[in-house]
Amino acid sequence: MNHHRRVLAGILAAYLLLTLAWGIRNPLFEAPDEQHHYFTAQAIADTWRLPTVLPGDDYNRLMGQEAAQPPLYYILGALLIAPIDTTGAESQLWFNPFVRLGDASSPANINAFVHTPAEAWPWHGMTLAAHLLRAFSTLLGLGTLLCIYGSGRLLWPAHPERALLATALVAFLPQFEFHHGAVTNDTLIIFTASAAIYQLLRLWLDKITTPRLVLLGLTVGAAMLSKNAGLLLLAYAAGFLFLLIWRGQKPHVVLRAILITAGVALLAGGWLYWRNWQLYGDITATNQFIRIAGGDQGYAVREVLRETAKIGDSLIAVFGWFNVRAPQWVYGVWQGIALLAVVGGLFAAARRPEAGTNVDRRARFRLYGLLCLWPLLVYLGLFQFMLKTPAAQGRLLFPALLPLALMLGAAWSHLPYSRWWRWLLPAAAAATSLTCVAFVIPRAYAPMPVADAAEIAAAPLDADLGAHITLVAAQVDTPAAHAGEWVWLTLFWRAEAAITASREDTPQYVILLVGRDYEVVGKLQSYQGAGREPASLWPVGQVLRERVPVRLADDTATPARVDVKVSLVDQEPLVTMGALKVTPRQWPPPAPPLAQLGDGIELIAAEMEPQTVPVGGVVTVSVTWQAAADVPRDFTTFVHVGDPSRPPLAQGDAPPRDYPTHFWQAGERIPDRYTIQLPADLPAGRYPVQMGMYDPADGGRLPLTVAGERQPYDAFALGWLEVRP
């Protein structure tokens, strides 16, 4: 017994350390709606009245939809932070207008807020208050873990390892720690729901007493005041107690138990539903959530089921505002844990009834069915909500963690060589959580590092962009890409003087990816530091390195040279910092050439339109090149009108359009086009047209052969052009 208590103490201590680390390392309000939760608690601390979402509330914009939430978490939080002077808290918020909420595919602008030195240690004001509330959430999580362990001991008094495994599963779940290191009322409904189920198990397995029923009623009432899932919990508790008849309880005893529990719960929390009805015409105030979220979306059942499939990863590890993901192996570990639980469950089903369980076999399965009913009810409540508004978030299923954890813990204990799994599974789970808090979060919100001289010397630029900002150096880290992919760039910034602009006027920069025909095929507008470090926060004179991605459009024309241009917003000029090649994902198969130029270039198609043109008209020559080998340098194409032995009467010399030859590699096919403007004084007549390539450095033409024979003047005959008067 002492050994198991020591193991439990170790699990709880590890949870506390890890979750407190989450609260410290994750920047303030970089969790879903965290700023709304915080300001709802602060509104109560400032006014000592419950907030509303009705017009005229000074805090309405800051509280958002949370003002319509059940208030218990915020009341308790207000008591914690009331002694702290939080004057000017609103002015400390600096929203990032470029944040990509919910977009985990984007490596830039994942931060919902810009974080200033006001958040640094030692904490004071709003920062101190927010961290106190985060610690409060952490303690609520500790209570949930104790409920899980206690429930496991009630079910399996002779198998404490099951309770420990279930507790460790939740304690080291990265998503659980992330949310319990944030300011959110989810933590209170998770705790109160877990506490209520623990008490229901005691009533099922032990005697029914009035004090226990009153305590259960108070717990359910607290859940009702924590979140709307508390109303589901009331119905579940009543149904659970009703089924005590199966345990041999007399109907009048069960009816009395239900009346006491429901009566106390409604006395504790029922007033809230009356208030909501009076204010919003909806006892749960759900209509206010729907309204603020943009109205009832009227999703079909099929759409909700499709969204439900996306919940899995956010049950495990999706951080920030659903835009910071863990390494893929983290999800693999947890999927493996779930798979092993399935295997363990199959072994359990194949075994004979075991000793050391607090209920007989039939009653045990009945009780397991009751426990599984609670996760189903929680999901159905979420499903109904998702029919009206997007809400595919794993955290909303966390009030059902206790039964799920118990079932997994029991299944694991039936695995062959279970003693190995007792330490291996929790160790693997803890490794995922430690990785996320120690590496994933710090990297996601890391400040720009100071650059060294060697880095700057490798790609010097020294471009004055205005507003006291110099782009000291820049480089394109992605030399080649496909349409739809990310292009990585490194920029080196320096503030030449203190930048004292207001937040609204703080300089922003824009990066443009410019492809064929000067079309913008990618754009990033942001603060520097991938959205985290506006110029007004920079130390003067230091060179800061930023690595930032820009996504190419899916319909980018290929192949093409794409120039990377940068400037401050509303400032000129655009500075070209480099270029990259963009190619199709698959090249067409090689085609037989019309002509061969040099060692690696083939002409496979050529067409001149029109072939009859008036004096002073324009002729277009469309060609297709093919690279038989890598081309080492740039060449220029000549297209000449007239006798090839004489100077051309008209010409359209130019490098290959939008895709210079030094980009060409074996197997590539390049569409190209040239134009010839005929002079107004060109006599009418019939003229030959020919083309080829030359080295612009010395004018030497590339040897041109057709069917193995070298052509005169190294020119390919395109045909004859009829010029009319």
Side-chain angles (χ1 to χ4, degrees):
M1 183 66 69
N2 289 335
H3 168 71
H4 292 111
R5 287 180 178 175
R6 286 195 298 270
V7 173
L8 175 65
I11 293 171
L12 298 180
Y15 158 79
L16 282 174
L17 289 174
L18 286 168
T19 309
L20 289 172
W22 277 100
I24 293 170
R25 296 181 76 89
N26 193 39
L28 285 185
F29 309 140
E30 297 297 349
D33 299 318
E34 188 178 19
Q35 83 279 15
H36 295 318
H37 292 296
Y38 169 81
F39 278 102
T40 303
Q42 185 175 302
I44 296 175
D46 290 346
T47 64
W48 293 113
R49 60 183 178 86
L50 295 183
T52 67
V53 293
L54 298 178
D57 193 317
D58 291 339
Y59 285 91
N60 201 44
R61 179 179 61 84
L62 294 172
M63 294 184 295
Q65 71 276 9
E66 310 309 334
Q69 288 267 29
L72 184 57
Y73 179 86
Y74 309 113
I75 293 172
L76 297 174
L79 293 172
L80 270 177
I81 67 175
I84 301 172
D85 181 4
T86 56
T87 303
E90 179 181 355
S91 65
Q92 190 173 326
L93 284 184
W94 186 346
F95 182 72
N96 176 16
F98 309 107
V99 63
R100 297 175 177 177
L101 300 177
D103 183 5
S105 68
S106 171
N109 283 300
I110 62 173
N111 53 302
F113 295 91
V114 175
H115 303 285
T116 69
E119 296 182 18
W121 180 266
W123 301 326
H124 58 85
M126 184 194 76
T127 302
L128 175 59
H131 279 287
L132 274 178
L133 291 178
R134 284 184 165 188
F136 173 53
S137 293
T138 300
L139 291 177
L140 289 173
L142 186 66
T144 297
L145 297 178
L146 289 170
C147 290
I148 293 171
Y149 178 76
S151 298
R153 295 310 311 273
L154 285 174
L155 280 174
W156 307 294
H159 297 281
E161 73 281 355
R162 298 180 184 178
L164 291 171
L165 282 168
T167 306
L169 163 73
V170 177
F172 300 137
L173 181 65
Q175 198 72 27
F176 183 83
E177 292 180 353
F178 168 69
H179 276 290
H180 284 78
V183 183
T184 171
N185 64 344
D186 288 331
T187 57
L188 188 56
I189 184 61
I190 296 167
F191 168 63
T192 52
S194 300
I197 293 173
Y198 168 75
Q199 293 171 62
L200 286 168
L201 285 173
R202 287 192 67 191
L203 290 169
W204 183 277
L205 299 172
D206 202 351
K207 61 182 179 179
I208 300 173
T209 66
T210 299
R212 288 181 178 178
L213 294 172
V214 170
L215 181 60
L216 175 61
L218 289 173
T219 304
V220 174
M224 293 162 62
L225 292 174
S226 302
K227 212 163 182 181
N228 284 330
L231 198 57
L232 280 177
L233 185 63
L234 176 61
Y236 176 74
F240 196 107
L241 292 173
F242 177 77
L243 293 177
L244 284 170
I245 294 174
W246 285 358
R247 294 284 291 152
Q249 295 292 340
K250 296 180 179 179
H252 74 276
V253 173
V254 172
L255 178 61
R256 175 177 173 273
I258 293 172
L259 289 175
I260 291 175
T261 300
V264 172
L266 290 170
L267 282 174
W271 60 269
L272 176 66
Y273 301 119
W274 173 254
R275 178 179 183 267
N276 287 341
W277 178 259
Q278 294 298 307
L279 286 173
Y280 312 122
D282 179 352
I283 63 170
T284 64
T286 301
N287 59 355
Q288 299 306 301
F289 288 84
I290 304 300
R291 177 181 64 81
I292 292 172
D296 190 338
Q297 302 299 310
Y299 292 119
V301 170
R302 181 181 300 176
E303 293 175 290
V304 175
L305 291 174
R306 188 164 52 244
E307 287 298 303
T308 298
K310 301 177 181 178
I311 289 179
D313 284 355
S314 64
L315 274 170
I316 298 170
V318 179
F319 314 121
W321 287 72
F322 310 109
N323 53 12
V324 179
R325 289 179 59 86
Q328 195 56 42
W329 68 266
V330 169
Y331 305 101
V333 166
W334 284 93
Q335 289 162 5
I337 287 173
L339 180 61
L340 286 172
V342 172
V343 174
L346 294 175
F347 274 99
R351 289 180 179 175
R352 294 182 178 181
E354 59 190 357
T357 301
N358 213 11
V359 285
D360 61 45
R361 183 180 178 86
R362 180 177 298 177
R364 182 172 78 248
F365 283 109
R366 191 180 298 146
L367 180 56
Y368 289 174
L370 278 174
L371 287 173
C372 292
L373 179 61
W374 174 237
L376 178 61
L377 281 176
V378 172
Y379 170 71
L380 289 176
L382 176 60
F383 188 93
Q384 189 274 336
F385 188 59
M386 289 171 62
L387 289 170
K388 300 179 179 180
T389 189
Q393 303 172 22
R395 65 185 175 92
L396 299 178
L397 297 177
F398 277 4
L401 274 176
L402 185 144
L404 295 174
L406 292 178
M407 296 302 102
L408 289 174
W412 286 340
S413 70
H414 286 92
L415 288 169
Y417 310 106
S418 60
R419 289 186 179 180
W420 288 91
W421 302 117
R422 290 178 195 177
W423 66 265
L424 184 59
L425 291 175
T432 65
S433 185
L434 182 61
T435 296
C436 291
V437 71
F439 300 104
V440 174
I441 291 300
R443 288 175 182 172
Y445 302 101
M448 290 190 290
V450 176
D452 59 43
E455 292 176 311
I456 298 168
L461 194 61
D462 202 29
D464 182 359
L465 300 186
H468 306 299
I469 294 175
T470 299
L471 184 58
V472 178
Q475 63 187 33
V476 178
D477 299 325
T478 307
H482 302 304
E485 292 184 343
W486 292 94
V487 175
W488 284 91
L489 315 169
T490 301
L491 301 94
F492 298 85
W493 302 99
R494 182 173 63 219
E496 306 298 346
I499 299 171
T500 58
S502 66
R503 290 180 178 179
E504 293 75 16
D505 296 327
T506 294
Q508 305 164 8
Y509 75 103
V510 61
I511 294 175
L512 301 179
L513 305 182
V514 182
R516 284 188 181 181
D517 300 321
Y518 304 102
E519 180 185 5
V520 175
V521 295
K523 179 179 179 180
L524 173 69
Q525 184 173 339
S526 179
Y527 294 131
Q528 285 85 355
R532 296 186 292 274
E533 288 185 84
S536 58
L537 300 180
W538 300 353
V540 175
Q542 282 190 339
V543 178
L544 303 176
R545 184 182 75 242
E546 171 185 22
R547 194 160 187 264
V548 65
V550 185
R551 188 175 182 274
L552 284 162
D554 292 329
D555 59 354
T556 300
T558 61
R561 168 194 169 114
V562 171
D563 289 321
V564 183
K565 298 179 179 291
V566 61
S567 76
L568 297 185
V569 174
D570 299 327
Q571 297 280 341
E572 293 290 344
L574 284 166
V575 175
T576 300
M577 57 168 282
L580 68 146
K581 60 182 289 185
V582 181
T583 59
R585 294 185 180 275
Q586 186 171 2
W587 296 94
L594 300 175
Q596 294 178 320
L597 295 84
D599 295 327
I601 299 174
E602 297 175 341
L603 178 67
I604 62 172
E607 183 178 8
M608 180 174 60
E609 289 288 343
Q611 296 183 3
T612 301
V613 65
V615 172
V618 176
V619 178
T620 299
V621 176
S622 299
V623 302
T624 303
W625 304 104
Q626 184 170 272
D630 294 355
V631 180
R633 59 185 185 275
D634 284 332
F635 297 105
T636 298
T637 302
F638 67 86
V639 184
H640 291 174
V641 176
D643 186 341
S645 66
R646 298 179 180 179
L649 301 173
Q651 65 187 68
D653 292 16
R657 185 176 67 99
D658 301 321
Y659 197 62
T661 59
H662 78 269
F663 278 173
W664 297 9
Q665 292 180 303
E668 296 186 351
R669 183 180 294 185
I670 302 95
D672 201 3
R673 187 173 68 245
Y674 303 90
T675 58
I676 307 171
Q677 176 70 57
L678 298 180
D681 59 355
L682 181 67
R686 190 165 180 262
Y687 299 96
V689 181
Q690 56 276 327
M691 67 178 298
M693 277 189 174
Y694 63 88
D695 188 337
D698 57 15
R701 292 185 177 184
L702 291 181
L704 188 147
T705 61
V706 174
E709 290 190 22
R710 188 161 180 176
Q711 300 300 297
Y713 309 105
D714 290 317
F716 177 78
L718 284 169
W720 292 84
L721 179 66
E722 188 76 31
V723 179
R724 302 194 312 268

